Every structure is written in C-alpha cells, then in structure tokens.
Amino acid sequence: MKKDKDKILGKVTGDEYKFGFYTDIEQDSIGRGLNEDVIRKISEKKNEPEFMLEYRLKAYRHWLNMEMPGWANLNIPPIDYQDLIYYSAPKQKTKPGSLDEVDPELIETFNKLGIPLEEQKHLAGVAVDAVMDSVSVKTTFKETLADLGIIFCSFSEAVREHPDLVKKYLGSVVPYADNFFAALNSAVFSDGSFCYIPKDVHCPMELSTYFRINAANTGQFERTLVVAEKGSYVSYMEGCTAPQRDENQLHAAVVEIVALDDAHVKYATVQNWYPGDKEGKGGIYNFVTKRGICKGDNSKISWAQVETGSSITWKYPGTVLKGNNSKSEFYSVAVTNNHQQADTGTKMIHLGKNTSSIIVSKGISAGYSNNSYRGLVKVARGAGNARNFSQCDSLLLGDKCGAHTFPYIETDNKSAVVEHEATTSKIGEDQIFYCNQRGISTEDAVGLIVNGYAKEVLNKLPMEFAVEAQKLLQVSLEGSVG
Amino acid sequence: MQMLKIKDLRVTIEDQEILKGFNLEVNAGEVHAIMGPNGSGKSTLAAVLAGRDLTVTGGKVLYNGEDLLEKSPEQRAKEGIFLGFQYPIEIPGVSMVNFLKTAVNELRESRGEKPLSASDFLKLMREKKELVEIDSTLTNRSVNEGFSGGEKKKNEIFQMAMLEPKLAILDETDSGLDIDALRIVANGVNKLKSKERASIVITHYQRLLDYIVPDFVHVLYDGRIVKSGDKDLALLLEEKGYEWIKEEAGA
C-alpha cells in the first residue's frame, strides 16, 4: 500500500500537457535583442501613428532605469532581455479580409486548440480574437457586433482605426511606469484585443481572446483594453496555451479595463500556458499586470480566473473603485503542481464612497510547487463605508508543496469594514479512503474534492468555459495525491 | 456458499499486534455479529477487510475464493464489499448526490453496465431515502458535512442501500444512536438480507441485535475470537458483561 502511494505520487508526472505541439509556419520576425531601433521597427511593422511610437519609446526609456521586482515569493532565474525576440508573426499575405485568406495552417492550429475560427462552427454566442505570437490572426463575429456599435478587434487594428479611443484610455489604468513588466510591455507590446461597448449596450455574446505562443525564443507581450461606456455590459474571456519546450519563455501582458457609470464588466481568464515538465524544465514565465477601474458611479468589475499553467506566475488583477457605490469581485483558483511557482492575488483600492469588494481565492498546491496568495485591500481616507470581504483558502496535496498567504490591509477611513478569512486544508488520506471504499478511484476522488473546493469560483465562469475549466483542474492534478 | 474465509490473520499497528490469529468463515445469506470490549480489535478487523493501509504480518483472507488482501480498496468495493464507517468522513464541497452518482456509476461500469441516467438515479435515490427515512435535504449537502452523529450513521446505511453490497461490514454503526435511529439502521440491514448477501455487524452492545437477528455471535477479545454461539450468547454478554470472557480467555 505504501508503495502504491509512492507510485501515485510519482504519477504526478503522468499528466501530459495537451497543447504542447508546435506549428511549423513561416515567421516574420525581428532579430534578438531590445533597443530603440527594435521598438521603431515594431511600430513600423504595425503601421502605427506617431503617438503610439512616442508612447513606446517613453516607456522603454523609463524601463531602462527600472529593476525587476524582487519582493515576490518566487525564485526567478535571471532573464537576459537581449536574448529574446520581441516580434514574431506568422507570415500572411497582407491583412486577411475573410477566412479564405487566412493560412490553412493557422486555421488548423486553432482547430487543434479547440478554437475554430469559422464562425458557424464556433460556440454559439462567443466571439473570438485569435492571437498567435505577436499578431491577431482573426477576429470572429466582428460585423455582427459592429451592428450594435461594439468594437471588438485586434489591438493593432484599434490603434489604426480608433486612435482617439486608444489615445484616451491606453495607460489610463496601468501607466507605463507602473512596474517593470508593465513598462516593458508598454514599450514592445505586439497585439491583443480591444473592445469598446457603447452607452447602454448589453453585449449579446461572450467576447474572448485566445492567446497562443508558437515561435521559439519569443516573448509574448499582449495588450488588452476593455472600455465599457455608461450603462453597458460585457463579459470577456481569455485563454492561453503554448508549445512544450525546454527553454523558458517570457509572457508579460497588460490588461486595462475601464467601467463608466452603471457599467458592468466581467473578465474571466483560463490560463494554461505550458507549465514546464515534471523536473521543472521549461515553461512560461507569466508576469502580468491586469487592472480595472470602476471609474463611474455604480459600476462593477468582476474577475474570475482559473490558473493552471506557467512555470512562474506573477499577477495581481485588481480594481480601483473610484466611482461611488462601485463594486468589484475577484474569484480565483490557482493550481500549482510539480515545480511550478505562483505568487498571485488581487488588489482592491477603495477610493469612492460606499464601495464594496469581495475576494475569494482558492489555491491548490501539489507536487513540489509553491503557491502564494498576495492581496492588498486599501481603503482611502475619502472612501466612507467601504466594505471588503476576503476569503483565502489553500488546499495541499501531498507534503512536498507549499502554500502561503500574504494579505495586506491598509485602511485610512474608520468607517471601513474589512473582513479576512483564511483556511488551509489537506486532502486527507481518510477522505480518499472513504471514496475508495465506495468504489471511487483515487484520481476521481481528487477530481471530486478539488472541483468541490473550487466550485464557488468555477460557478463564476461563463458556462461555456466552466466545463473546460473543470476538466483542466482535474488534468493538472492527475495523480498528485500522496 | 462460502463467501469470506479469514485464516489466522495477524495485523500490526505501530509495532503492536492487534489481530493475533483471527479466524472467521462467512457464507452467503448469513449475518454475523462480532462483539467485544474496547480495544479487542473490532475496528481493525473492519479496516483491514475494507483495505486500509495496515501491516498484515500473517494469515490470509479469501473473498469468493480470491486473495482479498491483494486488492485495492476500490476493487474490493466493486466486488461488493461495503464498510459502514464508525466515524464517517466529511468531504466539504462534494455533494452527496455527486458523490453517490460517481460511486454508483463506477460500480455499474465494473459490472459492464451503462451509467444510470440522471432521472433514474434520482428515482433510485428517492426510493432508498424512504427506506432509511433520511431527511431529504441531507442529500443536497456536502458528504457528511455538518451532519449530526445520528445523521452520519443513517447516511452510511443510505449509501449501503444505494450500493447494494454483497458483503456489508458495519463498524459500530449503532453507537451513539437513539432508539429510532437504531431501528432505521437495523431496518436497512434487514432489507438487504438475501441468500446471496452476507453481513458482519460489529457492535459493542447487544441492543442492536434486538432488531437484527444474527445467525452467529462471536466474541472478539485480545485479537482473537474466544467464543462463538447464536443470539443467546449476545444476551448472556448483555447480562454478565465481558469480564467473565476475559477471565475465561486468560485462564
């Protein structure tokens, strides 16, 4: 029996990353290294207006004087920023107008990932912007959405077609000087999605972006901007995967969300970047800055995320609650297995009156991994009657992994009510045995327990993705009980 | 037909021998009661039969002619062994419905049967719930979470009714139950009784045996069966306690 258990522990490695393939496609890329010329070339390749190039250069010059943050509970090997490729795009004939003009290899790649680019084949009610390496490949349902005045397109297209909107909102939530990775992203970001929901429009379908890293030695720096005008509603979802490689790859994204009066934005992430192999070799370094601002009164931003991938995750999606009566919620499941490391959480900055936020964070650690929750709840002096409820739970599988919680609470207003609850539990041998005795295998028992544990968060995902996420959790943890 | 044969079984927990040459034979259709004072090895017996990670230092256990100790706990369950836990385990976040549906369908799959449809499953649940008079809302909650002691025990019997085992081992299912709950637990066991099935009822007290009439009563003391008889033995134990058994065994 003891042996069985060791065998099961050993099988942690048994689960295979399903999206580890590589598409052999001709690349148009800029050589390794980073300097002002590279940035000019990126801007030129994208046909950008002058203001964009200026923004990039300002960010770059600022970045040069910054240092990588060292405060996270992570062990990050040194990254040689001159050894990376900053722009790589699958070669296509000009800009594809219709799907017929998209390279069949690319369509096939996204089919393999379960993201068909043909609109009729796609999940009903989901519009997709598919991004591979540095460029957007195809955005579906663009015309349908345009009828409602909704703009949903690649970021590059937005820069060219809607420069005023981009100029107004880019960097308004995450300024380029915000942090090291945000500055780097601001200098070299390649593509991503832009969505704009006009006043009083309720977006009728899920908007989603699918990010795929394909090329080797290439960093992915995507940029997403979501603007919800007064009284509008949108549910947005992003998913990510990458090929299986022995080298680490860098991913440093920035997401900005703006919600004006009475607007509601839901932002969901299913992050499944390649996590590295069982020995911890390879995998994506995921350094992401995501922030929303509830700019208008009565606005709301809801975050839901399932994080199972990446060898290192550093991300704290947060909300600035500026409008009076604004609300934000953050629901997260972060899974680490094998040698993965995650330092992740959220920030809720209460500025307006009667603002409220909810944080529900569920960490699951297995194998030799380390999983840290880091969260900040800040109540400014003027934020009367602010409320926050935080719940941080950790679940441990096996005894070689770690779970840590770093909650920070700063309140400058006496009327604030801030609650924090935390639990740590272990999937007990007793629970597994109880399931076994009823005929349920250990794998299935872990699946049942983990999904039960994460249910509260999974329920917050758009239905189309909840089932996927549930499967993903189970696959990520296959055989990880000791 | 012989279902279970335990021969000279020895089990050690933390360097201490708990079962010291235990023998028992159970045929299909029989109900065996195993009684004994605290610490005599009753729960260890239940645990080793269900597949708990214990050190077996000697003896063997045959179930339907095959070596039981070689099989994983879930394999044993699939072959019809059910353990009613003395202390049922709480599994937060996993609903009873989901848990039982998984269990029932695993068993069906191992028998080459198709999984039950949602409606057939719910129908089966309703039927069995009535049998054990379990509160309807309990099955909507997480497995055993926040259940009272009595509810947990009834829930074990409910699961047994759902899974219809060949060999049910009830480990002190009667402890801490009031008379009504006791009757319900007994009723569950009696309903399951048939020519093909057998039960081993482990208990400290005689009172459960007012409701479940055993074919055999065995007294376990210091890791061995020291006396066997019919239901009258249980009454004798009730009357005289375990002291005389201990003296006899010691002599």
Side-chain angles (χ1 to χ4, degrees):
Chain A
M1 283 293 189
K2 269 267 172 309
K3 248 185 244 149
D4 273 3
K5 244 191 279 163
D6 288 347
K7 217 164 60 197
I8 291 168
L9 245 185
K11 252 185 75 191
V12 173
T13 56
D15 76 283
E16 276 184 28
Y17 186 68
K18 278 199 303 189
F19 310 100
F21 64 89
Y22 165 71
T23 310
D24 191 7
I25 195 162
E26 218 185 323
Q27 304 282 345
D28 170 22
S29 48
I30 298 175
R32 283 172 204 250
L34 183 57
N35 51 47
E36 293 202 2
D37 277 349
V38 169
I39 290 168
R40 281 177 215 282
K41 267 188 213 157
I42 294 174
S43 191
E44 192 183 313
K45 277 194 184 289
K46 295 191 161 301
N47 244 329
E48 287 177 349
E50 189 59 26
F51 84 91
M52 207 54 255
L53 176 62
E54 276 167 27
Y55 183 84
R56 288 175 181 279
L57 290 172
K58 255 194 297 187
Y60 174 68
R61 287 165 196 152
H62 191 86
W63 177 76
L64 286 175
N65 295 317
M66 294 176 97
E67 272 182 41
M68 223 169 106
W71 42 259
N73 186 24
L74 299 169
N75 180 12
I76 307 171
I79 298 168
D80 183 353
Y81 292 93
Q82 293 306 333
D83 195 38
L84 292 176
I85 294 170
Y86 288 84
Y87 181 88
S88 176
K91 243 185 198 157
Q92 308 199 68
K93 284 175 265 150
T94 61
K95 174 81 189 162
S98 74
L99 198 61
D100 300 343
E101 294 167 39
V102 177
D103 187 327
E105 272 291 326
L106 283 176
I107 296 177
E108 184 50 34
T109 299
F110 281 95
N111 274 339
K112 257 182 166 167
L113 297 169
I115 315 289
L117 301 181
E118 294 100 323
E119 293 184 357
Q120 65 276 19
K121 278 198 193 164
H122 209 272
L123 286 167
V126 182
V128 178
D129 183 21
V131 177
M132 195 198 275
D133 298 327
S134 306
V135 293
S136 166
V137 174
K138 165 85 188 161
T139 310
T140 60
F141 293 108
K142 228 159 82 177
E143 291 76 21
T144 319
L145 293 167
D147 289 344
L148 291 163
I150 295 170
I151 304 169
F152 180 46
C153 63
S154 73
F155 204 90
S156 311
E157 190 178 329
V159 169
R160 290 189 303 266
E161 311 287 326
H162 310 281
D164 293 345
L165 283 173
V166 172
K167 216 171 177 172
K168 184 169 174 192
Y169 292 109
L170 179 74
S172 70
V173 193
V174 180
Y176 64 79
D178 191 80
N179 67 69
F180 183 83
F181 296 110
L184 179 62
N185 175 287
S186 301
V188 301
F189 72 83
S190 33
D191 219 336
S193 302
F194 174 77
C195 48
Y196 175 82
I197 317 296
K199 190 165 177 265
D200 295 328
V201 170
H202 183 109
C203 183
M205 44 175 79
E206 298 284 339
L207 301 188
S208 92
T209 304
Y210 194 89
F211 296 105
R212 170 76 177 168
I213 293 180
N214 188 54
N217 306 312
T218 305
Q220 177 145 339
F221 306 94
E222 81 256 357
R223 188 96 196 180
T224 300
L225 177 56
V226 180
V227 178
E229 284 281 2
K230 287 181 183 175
S232 68
Y233 165 86
V234 63
S235 172
Y236 182 92
M237 156 96 198
E238 60 165 48
C240 358
T241 59
Q244 205 157 334
R245 288 208 176 87
D246 285 347
E247 313 85 52
N248 296 100
Q249 275 183 282
L250 177 65
H251 169 254
V254 170
V255 172
E256 296 179 280
I257 301 172
V258 180
L260 297 169
D261 288 355
D262 303 300
H264 183 189
V265 178
K266 284 189 190 171
Y267 193 99
T269 305
V270 173
Q271 187 262 109
N272 187 25
W273 295 117
Y274 177 53
D277 70 6
K278 59 187 175 181
E279 264 89 45
K281 199 169 184 196
I284 303 293
Y285 294 163
N286 190 33
F287 302 119
V288 171
T289 307
K290 292 182 174 183
R291 197 172 304 148
I293 181 165
C294 284
K295 204 169 180 183
D297 291 351
N298 311 312
S299 56
K300 184 174 179 184
I301 294 178
S302 314
W303 301 94
Q305 57 173 35
V306 174
E307 304 266 330
T308 63
S310 301
S311 58
I312 300 178
T313 298
W314 179 96
K315 80 180 253 203
Y316 315 90
T319 304
V320 179
L321 295 133
K322 187 164 181 251
N324 293 330
N325 313 315
S326 60
K327 287 185 171 65
S328 186
E329 50 188 23
F330 174 79
Y331 287 86
S332 167
V333 180
V335 179
T336 52
N337 197 356
N338 298 320
H339 291 269
Q340 282 175 276
Q341 308 176 58
D343 191 302
T344 181
T346 183
K347 290 191 220 175
M348 293 292 176
I349 314 290
H350 293 255
L351 302 179
K353 291 187 176 57
N354 307 315
T355 50
S356 64
S357 60
I358 294 172
I359 298 170
V360 176
S361 161
K362 306 259 180 183
I364 303 172
S365 337
Y368 296 84
S369 69
N370 255 312
N371 201 329
S372 304
Y373 168 82
R374 187 182 304 276
L376 169 67
V377 176
K378 190 179 165 70
V379 179
R381 208 156 60 195
N385 299 317
R387 281 202 56 111
N388 164 268
F389 172 77
S390 302
Q391 187 188 329
C392 300
D393 299 329
S394 310
L395 184 67
L396 297 165
L397 284 78
D399 51 13
K400 296 187 176 65
C401 52
H404 317 269
T405 307
F406 304 98
Y408 302 85
I409 297 171
E410 295 170 16
T411 53
D412 292 325
N413 187 305
K414 284 206 176 95
S415 63
V417 181
V418 178
E419 291 171 77
H420 181 92
E421 283 178 13
T423 66
T424 300
S425 51
K426 210 178 151 185
I427 291 191
E429 265 175 56
D430 285 348
Q431 290 174 328
I432 300 288
F433 181 70
Y434 193 75
C435 294
N436 288 161
Q437 211 301 306
R438 300 303 187 240
I440 301 170
S441 70
T442 300
E443 307 272 277
D444 289 346
V446 171
L448 271 178
I449 295 169
V450 165
N451 280 312
Y453 169 79
K455 197 160 54 189
E456 222 179 321
V457 177
L458 296 177
N459 286 345
K460 296 285 171 180
L461 290 177
M463 203 172 57
E464 290 86 341
F465 301 99
V467 180
E468 275 308 304
Q470 202 168 342
K471 274 191 226 145
L472 191 59
L473 280 187
Q474 196 152 350
V475 170
S476 306
L477 287 167
E478 223 152 66
S480 55
V481 166
Chain B
M1 206 193 81
Q2 191 176 67
M3 183 182 268
L4 184 72
K5 185 183 167 95
I6 307 176
K7 186 136 178 44
D8 201 28
L9 185 64
R10 288 172 186 274
V11 174
T12 300
I13 297 175
E14 286 168 6
D15 294 333
Q16 207 187 339
E17 194 168 52
I18 307 293
L19 292 181
K20 305 174 177 175
F22 182 93
N23 293 290
L24 181 68
E25 291 181 26
V26 177
N27 296 316
E30 294 174 352
V31 175
H32 290 246
I34 294 181
M35 304 182 68
N38 289 331
S40 57
K42 299 191 299 285
S43 288
T44 303
L45 174 68
V48 76
L49 292 179
R52 262 285 191 203
D53 190 5
L54 300 175
T55 312
V56 176
T57 53
K60 60 181 172 186
V61 180
L62 296 178
Y63 176 66
N64 293 329
E66 293 175 30
D67 185 352
L68 183 69
L69 300 178
E70 279 293 300
K71 297 175 196 254
S72 67
E74 58 268 36
Q75 188 55 37
R76 297 179 200 199
K78 285 174 184 168
E79 291 180 17
I81 291 181
F82 177 91
L83 172 63
F85 283 66
Q86 184 178 4
Y87 303 109
I89 309 296
E90 299 190 1
I91 312 180
V94 179
S95 72
M96 273 309 298
V97 176
N98 204 2
F99 177 74
L100 270 176
K101 202 167 150 212
T102 310
V104 165
N105 286 333
E106 287 277 349
L107 296 192
R108 290 180 68 88
E109 198 191 317
S110 74
R111 294 194 296 252
E113 295 165 8
K114 277 194 193 130
L116 281 183
S117 70
S119 66
D120 284 347
F121 176 77
L122 290 174
K123 206 176 121 204
L124 180 69
M125 266 206 9
R126 265 200 304 278
E127 222 173 84
K128 304 293 184 184
K129 264 198 284 203
E130 274 169 36
L131 178 73
V132 296
E133 301 173 39
I134 197 166
D135 187 346
S136 224
T137 58
L138 283 189
T139 50
N140 293 329
R141 303 205 335 231
S142 293
V143 178
N144 291 320
E145 196 185 31
F147 287 25
S148 71
E151 284 168 343
K152 281 183 181 169
K153 295 300 179 74
K154 276 204 265 181
N155 191 23
E156 293 293 293
I157 300 303
F158 169 58
Q159 293 176 49
M160 183 179 79
M162 289 290 293
L163 299 172
E164 299 187 319
K166 293 275 188 295
L167 174 63
I169 305 159
L170 301 181
D171 187 8
E172 303 215 15
T173 304
D174 54 334
S175 63
L177 291 187
D178 61 26
I179 264 319
D180 283 338
L182 202 62
R183 182 182 51 74
I184 289 165
V185 165
N187 191 28
V189 177
N190 291 334
K191 281 265 166 60
L192 200 71
K193 197 173 169 176
S194 78
K195 285 205 299 284
E196 296 84 43
R197 301 177 203 280
S199 311
I200 298 174
V201 179
I202 295 172
T203 179
H204 189 79
Y205 303 103
Q206 188 275 334
R207 55 176 198 157
L208 177 64
L209 305 180
D210 288 340
Y211 301 93
I212 301 173
V213 180
D215 299 299
F216 302 93
V217 174
H218 311 279
V219 182
L220 180 60
Y221 175 65
D222 196 23
R224 270 183 222 104
I225 286 179
V226 292
K227 206 169 189 62
S228 294
D230 60 12
K231 62 180 178 4
D232 293 339
L233 177 58
L235 293 171
L236 198 63
L237 286 169
E238 176 82 347
E239 191 187 319
K240 296 172 69 174
Y242 286 108
E243 282 309 310
W244 64 283
I245 295 276
K246 290 181 188 174
E247 276 160 30
E248 254 187 46

